Amino acid sequence: MRYSFAGPLITIAAGLILWLAVPDAVGPVNVDLIGQIIFWVGVVYLVIVLIAAAAPSRRRSTRRTVQDPGTGERIERSETDLT
């Protein structure tokens, strides 16, 4: 399975922009705090994606070859299980 790092990186970038580049308060909203929250959510998201990408695959593939006794034909069968 392929994992994309775009989501966490965009979340981190958006949080940093709100935290560091936008004035602290816009009306009654504290943009600085919202930026910090979004940034840390992105960091946790990135850690989760990194752990999931590093985990070993749980796929198990088996291949079996037998010969049909009636025809003598060789039969090959492959199965992939998600365990």
Side-chain angles (χ1 to χ4, degrees):
M1 178 176 256
R2 296 180 58 187
Y3 294 93
S4 174
F5 298 100
L9 294 178
I10 290 171
T11 305
I12 290 171
L16 284 174
I17 289 169
L18 288 174
W19 182 11
L20 302 173
V22 176
D24 287 345
V26 178
V29 178
N30 186 351
V31 179
D32 186 35
L33 179 62
I34 293 172
Q36 287 182 21
I37 292 169
I38 292 173
F39 169 75
W40 288 111
V41 166
V43 169
V44 170
Y45 184 15
L46 180 62
V47 169
I48 291 170
V49 168
L50 286 172
I51 290 171
S57 175
R58 297 189 310 165
R59 285 188 177 186
R60 187 179 64 196
S61 190
T62 56
R63 174 173 271 162
R64 188 174 156 195
T65 304
V66 294
Q67 189 169 5
D68 186 354
T71 63
E73 184 179 347
R74 195 170 146 203
I75 301 169
E76 190 169 313
R77 183 177 190 179
S78 297
E79 293 180 357
T80 302
D81 296 331
L82 294 175
T83 58

